[in-house]
Amino acid sequence: QKFVFSLFEAGEIWVADLHEPKNPKIQKFKAGKEPYDALISPEGRYYIAGLFGEDGLALLDLWNPEAGIRKIVPEYAKNDPKLPVFKMPHLEGRALIGDYWFLPAVGHHEMLVIDRRTWQVVKKIPLDGQPVFVIPRPDERQIWVNFALPDNDKLEVIDTRDLSVRQRLTPGKAVLHMEFTPKGQEVWVSVRDDDRVVVYDTETFRELARLPA
């Protein structure tokens, strides 16, 4: 009965112990500048928050919170030009495949591949825009990526075997969410500004349907 969350303006991560709802116990951790969207590793151990106001991520080990916040990949974009961010990427829309996290890079045209054993960046995958959602196909053979303005009419598909861009698609204006069928044969893509949902075959990338919305 614990709840962990980020406070954007305070620059903190809080862990609330709610075993006694009328007397909650709060642990507060300095996270960095403007922590925002976060993810929790599948076993529930690690809470990782993006930092909108600085490069890097804030990592909290929920099994050992007394160790405090650890900054990971703080200099992944040290020498890269700063770009305006038109939409925050969502870390919850991320992929964990084997020992590697695939995460969108804030304000950069790339996806980060991070070894969860060392928390080091092992590869940066160049993309055509600033990624928002990084979504794995159920069998983990592909990762589908959408983008912020001005590239939000595009999708890119990453082959997880060699980490290359396998396919580029243009479903329409303002591509937002992607949902796979249970076995991953199809992906349903919402295209907000064209008021439709586009369905693709994930092997051939053939468009199967356009559904008005």
Side-chain angles (χ1 to χ4, degrees):
Q1 294 183 343
K2 291 186 177 181
F3 182 58
V4 58
F5 52 96
S6 299
L7 282 74
F8 182 83
E9 293 178 345
E12 296 181 344
I13 293 172
W14 289 13
V15 179
D17 185 333
L18 303 174
H19 283 87
E20 298 180 31
K22 294 183 179 180
N23 185 32
K25 296 178 175 63
I26 308 292
Q27 291 176 285
K28 301 179 182 181
F29 303 90
K30 291 293 183 182
K33 190 174 181 181
E34 298 174 342
Y36 68 109
D37 204 15
L39 60 87
I40 296 178
S41 59
E43 79 282 2
R45 178 170 185 175
Y46 296 107
Y47 179 87
I48 305 172
L51 297 174
F52 189 71
E54 61 182 275
D55 289 334
L57 304 168
L59 171 71
L60 179 62
D61 185 343
L62 298 173
W63 295 1
N64 300 289
E66 62 278 0
I69 297 292
R70 176 182 172 185
K71 294 288 182 66
I72 60 175
V73 297
E75 297 184 342
Y76 74 85
K78 181 178 180 181
N79 298 316
D80 295 344
K82 299 293 184 182
L83 298 174
V85 177
F86 295 105
K87 183 173 176 58
M88 288 185 180
H90 291 274
L91 290 191
E92 192 56 41
R94 84 298 185 241
L96 174 62
I97 298 175
D99 288 319
Y100 298 97
W101 288 102
F102 295 80
L103 302 177
V106 178
H108 298 278
H109 291 190
E110 60 192 18
M111 180 166 60
L112 304 179
V113 185
I114 299 173
D115 189 326
R116 69 170 176 171
R117 297 163 296 187
T118 63
W119 301 109
Q120 299 295 314
V121 175
V122 296
K123 187 175 178 63
K124 300 176 184 179
I125 301 175
L127 302 170
D128 287 343
Q130 294 181 21
V132 176
F133 287 110
V134 172
I135 307 295
R137 198 171 72 173
D139 65 359
E140 300 181 346
R141 292 283 297 274
Q142 297 173 355
I143 297 172
W144 288 58
V145 186
N146 70 338
F147 302 98
L149 283 168
D151 301 297
N152 63 345
D153 61 334
K154 302 175 183 175
L155 286 173
E156 289 188 9
V157 184
I158 308 301
D159 189 321
T160 59
R161 293 170 296 182
D162 59 10
L163 304 183
S164 66
V165 177
R166 181 178 174 189
Q167 186 73 26
R168 291 177 171 88
L169 301 166
T170 53
K173 297 177 183 178
V175 174
L176 293 183
H177 298 282
M178 298 164 279
E179 292 290 340
F180 290 93
T181 51
K183 293 184 179 181
Q185 303 102 318
E186 298 175 3
V187 62
W188 292 47
V189 179
S190 65
V191 187
R192 185 193 62 197
D193 291 355
D194 284 333
D195 297 318
R196 65 177 179 239
V197 173
V198 181
V199 183
Y200 288 103
D201 182 307
T202 60
E203 282 298 319
T204 66
F205 306 109
R206 183 170 62 90
E207 185 179 308
L208 300 178
R210 291 192 177 199
L211 309 175

